[in-house]
Amino acid sequence: GENVEQHPSTLSVQEGDSAVIKCTYSDSASNYFPWYKQELGKRPQLIIDIRSNVGEKKDQRIAVTLNKTAKHFSLHITETQPEDSAVYFCAALNDYKLSFGAGTTVTVRA
Amino acid sequence: NAGVTQTPKFRVLKTGQSMTLLCAQDMNHEYMYWYRQDPGMGLRLIHYSVGEGTTAKGEVPDGYNVSRLKKQNFLLGLESAAPSQTSVYFCASSNTGAETQYFGPGTRLLVL
């Protein structure tokens, strides 16, 4: 099955700086890559996604890039704010099933 | 629309007891999923369904059973609970299986 690796596991950034989270996947048949944000005690919520026919997608301060050849994709958060503090999960969709990375705990320091 | 709802929110079981977790969605989605979330391990797929009356095994199906008798409901059963099943359980649904999955609020289960 699909295997998704996510790095780093924790990330501390100064408010206003950028944060980057990287994921790799193993199955070249995976074709949809969502990113979820999960606040403490809450459900995962989709923040951005990208399909395999697109190299980059941006939504305000959040962007995702995909390199199909290398089988990796990244989440970029610019101008970080305290409300960006949360756990972020990447995932890859293959055969109707999502495989998740282990998560990155992002802490934004004021 | 309520989206995806889960019942109960929290439950404590003793080893060997059984229980059923209920997931309901009002978005007319075909695909439904059960995940468990453990610290440092992300979300792992237990079972899923591609439509009413269908079920399939995910990554960690042992010790769990599921049923999808109605399109809007997906039930997860634990026949004989074990401490290793202490976890947070999330249900999710998707319209086509190739799109966004929407998650329920979760059920926190503690098995003593």
Side-chain angles (χ1 to χ4, degrees), chain A residues 32 36 38 43 51 89 96, chain B residues 33 37 97-98 100-101 103-104:
Chain A
Y32 172 69
Y36 286 86
Q38 187 179 30
R43 74 188 78 188
R51 297 199 178 274
F89 293 97
Y96 312 124
Chain B
Y33 307 83
Q37 184 174 36
T100 305
Q101 290 186 17
F103 283 82

Side-chain angles (χ1 to χ4, degrees), chain A residues 38 42-44, chain B residues 6 34-35 37 88-91 103-106:
Chain A
Q38 187 179 30
K42 300 289 182 65
R43 74 188 78 188
Chain B
Q6 293 183 233
W34 275 108
Y35 295 91
Q37 184 174 36
V88 180
Y89 292 85
F90 285 100
C91 174
F103 283 82

Side-chain angles (χ1 to χ4, degrees), chain B residues 24-104:
Chain B
Q25 52 94 5
D26 61 3
M27 298 176 282
N28 201 35
H29 284 173
E30 289 292 338
Y31 293 75
M32 296 187 75
Y33 307 83
W34 275 108
Y35 295 91
R36 60 177 289 172
Q37 184 174 36
D38 302 295
M41 299 186 73
L43 293 106
R44 292 182 293 168
L45 183 64
I46 305 171
H47 285 282
Y48 65 102
S49 169
V50 301
E52 181 179 318
T54 75
T55 63
K57 294 180 179 180
E59 180 185 356
V60 289
D62 293 343
Y64 306 94
N65 56 77
V66 289
S67 64
R68 183 100 181 268
L69 298 180
K70 294 182 178 181
K71 185 177 183 179
Q72 64 268 33
N73 295 338
F74 195 29
L75 279 64
L76 178 71
L78 286 74
E79 290 187 349
S80 179
S84 60
Q85 294 178 303
T86 293
S87 189
V88 180
Y89 292 85
F90 285 100
C91 174
S93 72
S94 170
N95 189 22
T96 67
E99 297 177 358
T100 305
Q101 290 186 17
Y102 296 91
F103 283 82

Side-chain angles (χ1 to χ4, degrees), chain B residues 2-24:
Chain B
V4 181
T5 58
Q6 293 183 233
T7 309
K9 290 184 172 57
F10 176 69
R11 184 78 182 267
V12 179
L13 287 180
K14 293 182 180 178
T15 297
Q17 288 185 319
S18 63
M19 78 163 295
T20 300
L21 284 68
L22 171 64
C23 176

Side-chain angles (χ1 to χ4, degrees), chain A residues 86-108:
Chain A
V87 180
Y88 292 81
F89 293 97
C90 63
L93 183 73
N94 189 318
D95 193 24
Y96 312 124
K97 294 171 288 188
L98 278 178
S99 296
F100 285 83
T104 298
T105 301
V106 174
T107 303
V108 180

